Amino acid sequence: MHRLSNTVIGFLNLFSLLASIPIIGAGLKMAKNSTTCENFLQTPLLIIGFIVLIVSLAGFIGACFHVAWALWVYLVVMLILIIGLMIMTVFGFVVTGQGGGGPVPGRVYREYHLGEYSAWLRDRVRESGNWVSVKGCVIGSRTCDKVAAWTPVDYMRNDMSPIQSGCCKPLTSCTYGAATELMDQEPDCYKWNNDPTLLCYDCDSCKAGVLETIRRDWHKVSVLLVVVLILLIGVYCIGCCAFQNARRAETDYPYGHNRMTKVRPRWDFYWWRWWRDRREQLW
């Protein structure tokens, strides 16, 4: 178990160390790009990449060279990561538990309403600064260009993404014409504009479509985090064994004339023995 735990920890952290390099590279690449969508993700990618790099480096050095303090740092940071991921996972499931949209009679696509989503998500898109950035991202993605040439028959037969359903068309319940000016309709019906640069980008349905996309992606990430947590807890347990091995290696040096020397001393044993001999000569 002594060698097995250290070998397993060493290999696992070597792989995660190599995996952190493309993560950091992707974050740096996004930092040089001026598009809003990519800049929105660059900071989390860089933080995750550097944390994985530091943790993996500490775990690799500690496991392979029996450096107890490096393994101690590794285990402390790993514990913080596990706790943080647990909180993030629970928060993700709570936040993404609401929403999903509702069916539209006679249509394949669904429509989404802002009130269906959690208050935390609604507050994020209602902030003017956040929505300006998100709206610029949606417009820049040219998602609505895919449905611009649809005929009424296409709207009856084809499905839509949440953003297409909320941002590229008015609500199906909206009616337009001189006879309907005095009808009581939803506020989004009056925000719709045929101008390709306006459409329904300022509608609550568009914000709901963005939230639905985030909800779906976040839910998938939350499920993945559960798997990652199980693996991290297993690695953490193996790391605790490696830490005990490193501590045992530090305290297993010969001391005094009656102790047996180690058959296979650690890499710094000879330096330690030279320093002890020099100290005895000086005193």
Side-chain angles (χ1 to χ4, degrees):
M1 186 64 184
H2 172 84
R3 294 182 180 178
L4 179 61
S5 60
N6 288 64
T7 303
V8 173
I9 283 292
F11 275 109
L12 288 176
N13 285 283
L14 177 61
F15 292 142
S16 59
L17 180 65
L18 296 176
S20 67
I21 297 175
I23 296 175
I24 296 175
L28 293 175
K29 183 179 179 180
M30 290 180 181
K32 296 180 180 180
N33 200 312
S34 60
T35 57
T36 305
C37 299
E38 294 185 353
N39 283 340
F40 181 74
L41 296 175
Q42 70 183 20
T43 301
L45 277 177
L46 289 174
I47 293 175
I48 292 173
F50 279 113
I51 290 177
V52 172
L53 176 65
I54 295 172
V55 173
S56 302
L57 186 60
F60 180 76
I61 293 174
C64 294
F65 298 100
H66 301 282
V67 181
W69 68 265
L71 277 175
W72 183 85
V73 173
Y74 168 76
L75 291 176
V76 169
V77 178
M78 275 282 290
L79 182 61
I80 295 174
L81 275 177
I82 290 173
I83 295 174
L85 286 177
M86 284 183 177
I87 296 173
M88 187 182 301
T89 302
V90 174
F91 180 75
F93 278 115
V94 172
V95 168
T96 60
Q98 304 177 38
V104 181
R107 307 296 172 94
V108 180
Y109 58 82
R110 304 172 70 88
E111 290 186 339
Y112 308 90
H113 302 275
L114 197 58
E116 299 175 351
Y117 298 89
S118 65
W120 188 85
L121 285 177
R122 294 199 304 268
D123 291 341
R124 301 287 79 76
V125 296
R126 280 174 174 169
E127 293 179 5
S128 58
N130 290 342
W131 181 243
V132 169
S133 300
V134 175
K135 182 172 70 172
C137 176
V138 173
I139 296 174
S141 65
R142 305 183 67 87
T143 303
C144 292
D145 292 351
K146 300 176 182 179
V147 300
W150 279 14
T151 64
V153 177
D154 292 328
Y155 280 95
M156 298 287 291
R157 296 178 177 178
N158 297 338
D159 195 7
M160 290 184 175
S161 68
I163 292 180
Q164 288 175 335
S165 176
C167 304
C168 306
K169 65 170 187 59
L171 294 175
T172 307
S173 60
C174 295
T175 55
Y176 297 96
T180 60
E181 291 182 356
L182 300 179
M183 292 180 60
D184 186 16
Q185 302 189 84
E186 295 191 37
D188 281 353
C189 297
Y190 303 102
K191 297 177 182 178
W192 163 258
N193 195 305
N194 288 325
D195 188 337
T197 61
L198 298 177
L199 298 181
C200 213
Y201 291 126
D202 289 320
C203 298
D204 286 347
S205 62
C206 186
K207 297 177 182 178
V210 171
L211 289 185
E212 177 62 21
T213 304
I214 294 174
R215 189 192 73 87
R216 293 179 181 182
D217 293 339
W218 201 345
H219 186 74
K220 295 176 183 177
V221 171
S222 298
V223 174
L224 179 62
L225 285 178
V226 174
V227 179
V228 173
L229 273 172
I230 295 174
L231 295 176
L232 285 180
I233 292 173
V235 172
Y236 185 80
C237 294
I238 300 174
C240 291
C241 296
F243 177 71
Q244 293 297 327
N245 294 337
R247 290 289 301 272
R248 188 180 300 113
E250 283 189 344
T251 58
D252 205 20
Y253 292 131
Y255 189 83
H257 300 287
N258 297 325
R259 293 291 183 93
M260 182 182 297
T261 58
K262 293 181 63 177
V263 178
R264 299 179 63 183
R266 209 178 66 171
W267 62 275
D268 60 342
F269 167 71
Y270 297 102
W271 176 87
W272 173 85
R273 187 173 64 179
W274 175 86
W275 170 251
R276 187 192 63 180
D277 294 340
R278 292 290 298 173
R279 185 177 57 181
E280 290 178 354
Q281 291 176 5
L282 292 175
W283 290 95

